[in-house]
Amino acid sequence: MQIQVGIVGAGPAGLMLSHLLHQHGVDSVVIDTRSREEIEGTIRAGVLEQSSVDLMTETGVGDRVRQLGMVHEGIELRFCGRGHRIDFTDLTGGRGVTIYPQHEVLKDLIAKRLADGGDIRFGVSGVQVKGITGDAPTIGFTQDGVEQELTCGLVAGCDGSRTMTRYLIPSPEPRQDHFRQYPFAWFGILAEAPRSSDELIYAHHRNGFALISTRSATVQRHYLQVEPNDNVHDWSDDRIWQELRTRVDGAEIKEGPIFSKSVLPFRSFVCEPMQHGRLFLAGDAAHTVPPTGAKGMNLAIADVHVLSRAMTRFFAAGVRTALDAYTDTALPRVWRAQHFSWWMTSMLHRMPEASGFDLNRQIAELDTVTRSRAGRTLLAENYVGTPFD
């Protein structure tokens, strides 16, 4: 089968890329080893920047985001028993973020692609990508017991943090992998409870970080900083609620039955370059950020916003200029997001063997940021995200 763009991975990057290409008349096939049910059923939190919501709305996949998403116009930084609000609306000229889970974004994109006649192959196996340095790379796979092959003009590696496409770029040259593993993890829960707060609370405490978040009016998502080797069975419901109350230090926490517990490792990663021959990486296949800055899904959308326009120009006029510049165009935003995520993480989390000096230095930094309009603006502008253009 001849196709203009073969896309490996039906996550946010791959599905959004296929959707944006379709808007410009470029055909694509998306393949994924997971079933549609697995993809739509993987429960993940989601904070959408203003630019991500705007792009979804402009391209016809924003109806449910507007209807069901919760617009947040600020966050609270809490330390030393006091809350300090970062007012996004005031500090960024009216911009904000929307709380909308990643799996709901995937449902929206899958439904739209199928309604538009898009070709998504779920549950394939034996994926092999070959010939990326030639003029006609191929993607081979097996579907329903039948071996198939796509001959592509271009290939997009959008297969997430467990990628295989990234390793098609030779290492150590030209591929350079920048990696940092953090010495802690997040313990995440989903609970049937009313909202504890109208906006997210980021809490610094000597016991460790806590995040009071939300999923809906009746389901809440909260996180605690824990050791990387902690097990969900180590944490009873009573222990979880007690530790959350301790760490938010005076803020009200509304409790309810906990129906999901998970331990999330913390890491930062960037692959450079994000392209090789006719292969182009996007989303978690190219980079991973700690969730503290709420940048993961937004970076994936930003990547494919750049990549879709470059691919469109290539197929419309045979011009590779924008394609060749893809890495140079996308990477500055990636590194800004890495810095912001690292900054939020280092400012709010207790580091192993932290001394009184370290804890008081963090408090001084939080105090500096929240007292200063310039500090609050720096945080707000990075959190809501800069426009894609």
Side-chain angles (χ1 to χ4, degrees):
M1 181 177 176
Q2 299 278 343
I3 197 74
Q4 288 175 298
V5 181
I7 301 174
V8 182
L15 291 169
M16 180 61 82
L17 177 59
S18 181
H19 170 64
L20 295 177
L21 290 174
H22 174 73
Q23 300 279 308
H24 297 286
V26 177
D27 59 359
S28 65
V29 173
V30 182
I31 66 167
D32 201 294
T33 57
R34 299 167 295 170
S35 68
R36 179 177 180 179
E37 291 73 21
E38 287 177 286
I39 293 170
E40 295 183 343
T42 301
I43 307 300
R44 291 186 179 178
V47 177
L48 290 170
E49 295 176 359
Q50 185 75 57
S51 293
S52 298
V53 174
D54 291 344
L55 182 64
M56 292 176 69
T57 301
E58 291 164 5
T59 60
V61 286
D63 289 349
R64 292 180 71 240
V65 175
R66 296 292 187 186
Q67 293 169 7
L68 304 177
M70 293 170 284
V71 177
H72 283 200
E73 298 176 345
I75 60 171
E76 179 181 315
L77 296 184
R78 191 167 186 85
F79 57 99
C80 298
R82 293 183 56 199
H84 306 261
R85 186 168 185 264
I86 308 297
D87 188 336
F88 295 160
T89 303
D90 173 54
L91 296 165
T92 67
R95 297 169 68 81
V97 297
T98 300
I99 308 301
Y100 191 67
Q102 179 174 302
H103 60 276
E104 298 295 345
V105 174
L106 296 176
K107 289 178 183 178
D108 295 342
L109 288 168
I110 290 171
K112 179 62 173 171
R113 288 305 297 124
L114 296 178
D116 288 343
D119 191 343
I120 308 175
R121 313 286 183 90
F122 299 106
V124 307
S125 61
V127 179
Q128 290 190 323
V129 180
K130 299 179 180 179
I132 60 171
T133 57
D135 293 333
T138 61
I139 303 175
F141 57 93
T142 300
Q143 184 178 29
D144 298 327
V146 179
E147 293 185 1
Q148 303 193 42
E149 185 175 85
L150 304 175
T151 300
C152 313
L154 301 171
V155 174
C158 304
D159 47 343
S161 58
R162 297 180 179 179
T163 177
M164 52 80 66
T165 57
R166 178 195 306 156
Y167 301 103
L168 298 173
I169 303 177
S171 176
E173 293 291 342
R175 194 182 90 232
Q176 299 293 320
D177 294 339
H178 308 284
F179 180 79
R180 166 168 289 186
Q181 183 75 45
Y182 292 84
F184 45 76
W186 271 11
F187 187 97
I189 66 165
L190 285 169
E192 294 178 1
R195 293 191 191 111
S196 296
S197 171
D198 290 334
E199 296 176 340
L200 276 62
I201 300 175
Y202 286 74
H204 172 276
H205 190 271
R206 64 176 56 253
N207 286 14
F209 169 76
L211 173 61
I212 306 305
S213 184
T214 187
R215 175 61 53 80
S216 69
T218 58
V219 175
Q220 310 313 317
R221 181 75 159 167
H222 304 319
Y223 298 94
L224 289 166
Q225 177 188 348
V226 298
E227 296 297 321
N229 58 354
D230 271 20
N231 190 290
V232 294
H233 301 297
D234 298 332
W235 288 82
S236 67
D237 291 8
D238 288 344
R239 183 188 178 193
I240 292 167
W241 291 119
Q242 177 59 46
E243 193 62 24
L244 281 169
R245 287 194 298 271
T246 297
R247 295 191 191 187
V248 299
D249 197 8
E252 181 183 11
I253 300 296
K254 296 178 180 178
E255 300 179 15
I258 297 173
F259 63 90
S260 176
K261 302 177 183 179
S262 58
V263 177
L264 310 174
F266 251 57
R267 62 176 65 92
S268 294
F269 175 83
V270 178
C271 172
E272 188 175 356
M274 296 168 58
Q275 63 193 96
H276 184 64
R278 294 197 174 216
L279 170 68
F280 301 85
L281 304 179
D284 284 358
H287 41 70
T288 305
V289 291
T292 326
K295 293 301 170 194
M297 182 162 53
N298 296 290
L299 277 182
I301 294 174
D303 285 348
V304 298
H305 178 257
V306 173
L307 187 56
S308 64
R309 293 190 299 177
M311 287 180 167
T312 298
R313 292 170 187 164
F314 173 73
F315 288 112
V319 177
R320 284 194 59 107
T321 306
L323 273 180
D324 291 340
Y326 169 60
T327 295
D328 291 339
T329 304
L331 263 186
R333 176 184 286 267
V334 171
W335 280 114
R336 287 196 300 272
Q338 290 286 1
H339 171 260
F340 177 66
S341 299
W342 169 86
W343 178 50
M344 290 283 285
T345 300
S346 63
M347 183 167 58
L348 289 161
H349 288 72
R350 179 185 174 93
M351 298 299 171
E353 301 178 359
S355 65
F357 177 92
D358 299 315
L359 291 170
N360 284 296
R361 180 203 58 77
Q362 287 178 312
I363 291 169
E365 184 174 12
L366 286 161
D367 186 55
T368 300
V369 169
T370 54
R371 279 178 181 270
S372 161
R373 183 176 179 87
R376 296 193 304 273
T377 301
L378 175 66
L379 193 156
E381 288 181 343
N382 279 276
Y383 200 100
V384 305
T386 55
F388 288 161
D389 292 324

